[in-house]
Amino acid sequence: NLGLRLEVINPQDEIGRLATTFNDTLERLENAFNRIRQFTGDVSHELRTPLTILRGEAEVGLKWAKEPEEFRELLRSNLEEINRMSKIIETLLELSRVEGGVKLELADLDLSDLLAELVQQSRLIAPDKSLRIAFVGQEPVTILGDWLRLRQVFMNLLDNAVKYTPADGEISVVVDTTGDSARVAIIDSGPGIPPEDLPHIFERFYRVDKARNRADGGCGLGLSLVKTFVEAHGGRIEVVSEAGKGSIFTVLLPRVVAG
Ligand code: ADP
């Protein structure tokens, strides 16, 4: 609280209206400050965990390790933590670039084409879970978009679908159009997302099950990246989820209007 709030004596007169506007602006500023504070805390917290592990391992190495194999094992684990930190920092940089208004590299692209390629890739990386990944998208669906960033968007969503769907489960990817929008739906048969978590899943570092996701290598940044990139394209993302049944993530992007 910045403690600068003005007292509004008569909300009807000009001074009163001015003071009200000032107080509203102040409140928005305070909220922004609070978000930044929260964010700084979250980043520090997320980076502290891998650092603590790195320190512990370095200490163990110096104090106890004797055999080359023991050192090698510690270095392998060091590298994992370093990669985790790099990934967090890369993602945060990419988020702030796009939020700061860095220009997207726009070109005509066919979403059916892009999704078909990504589905093919997912089938290759997830064979041990014997998932069935269906793809529906016969028609070309052309939009004006940043190919690399949209690729990241849909790769993240597909990765999540694959990650959270249990063995023998089904995933469907549907590309079509609705009104002025192109629509991509990614439908999984995973555990679903509890209603109380649903409003938060696009926030940075938010994870439904903290312990499980750390083991999976997730850090809760994927969906905030997805949302930021989709909105930078003038689109939006929606999610419907039912516990025990699965989740549907729908991305809507403005379509290229002919002419
Ligand atoms: P993470 O890297 O942890 O997957 P995300 O930002 O991609 O981070 O997702 C945030 C959280 O939302 C995840 O930790 C998970 O709890 C939940 N979530 C995302 N996608 C799904 C899904 N398809 N099914 C169930 N839960 C999901």
Side-chain angles (χ1 to χ4, degrees), residues 13 22 235:
D13 69 12
F22 178 84

Side-chain angles (χ1 to χ4, degrees), residues 19-228:
T20 308
T21 310
F22 178 84
N23 287 344
D24 288 350
T25 311
L26 197 65
E27 192 180 329
R28 260 184 274 155
L29 265 177
E30 282 169 357
N31 288 340
F33 281 142
N34 284 338
R35 277 199 301 276
I36 294 170
R37 193 175 305 129
Q38 165 88 36
F39 175 65
T40 314
D42 288 346
V43 174
S44 313
H45 178 82
E46 286 302 317
L47 292 177
R48 195 168 57 184
T49 310
L51 265 181
T52 305
I53 295 173
L54 277 176
R55 183 186 303 115
E57 287 171 344
E59 282 169 2
V60 167
L62 284 174
K63 243 190 183 156
W64 309 105
K66 300 226 160 44
E67 303 303 319
E69 191 43 48
E70 291 174 88
F71 283 108
R72 221 171 269 135
E73 188 46 49
L74 285 168
L75 283 177
R76 253 197 295 276
S77 173
N78 281 178
L79 199 58
E80 246 176 60
E81 296 305 324
I82 291 170
N83 286 339
R84 166 184 287 275
M85 285 198 280
S86 302
K87 211 173 117 190
I88 294 175
I89 291 167
E90 281 309 312
T91 311
L92 288 175
L93 278 175
E94 182 70 352
L95 271 167
S96 77
R97 260 184 235 127
V98 171
E99 279 176 350
V102 160
K103 266 216 155 82
L104 301 173
E105 309 241 340
L106 296 179
D108 277 2
L109 60 90
D110 175 9
L111 279 179
S112 294
D113 219 34
L114 174 59
L115 268 301
E117 181 205 317
L118 292 176
V119 165
Q120 195 54 34
Q121 260 178 32
S122 300
R123 286 180 183 139
L124 291 177
I125 52 169
D128 46 324
K129 280 171 90 177
S130 66
L131 298 177
R132 273 154 301 154
I133 310 182
F135 174 68
V136 187
Q138 307 87 344
E139 302 283 317
V141 174
T142 309
I143 64 149
L144 196 60
D146 184 320
W147 191 83
L148 265 182
R149 265 129 185 181
L150 287 178
R151 198 165 189 282
Q152 255 175 301
V153 163
F154 295 115
M155 225 158 61
N156 265 300
L157 291 174
L158 259 170
D159 278 355
N160 277 349
V162 167
K163 189 158 74 181
Y164 295 111
T165 301
D168 298 318
E170 268 180 61
I171 295 169
S172 304
V173 175
V174 183
V175 183
D176 61 6
T177 59
T178 165
D180 289 341
S181 298
R183 175 170 59 186
V184 178
I186 295 170
I187 306 156
D188 70 50
S189 48
I193 299 160
E196 64 271 23
D197 294 300
L198 219 44
H200 302 291
I201 57 167
F202 294 102
E203 292 167 13
R204 290 174 188 183
F205 298 118
Y206 194 87
R207 282 166 291 198
V208 174
D209 177 344
K210 275 99 193 142
R212 181 190 64 187
N213 289 334
R214 187 167 160 80
D216 283 344
C219 63
L221 283 176
L223 285 180
S224 60
L225 192 84
V226 165
K227 185 166 189 265
T228 302

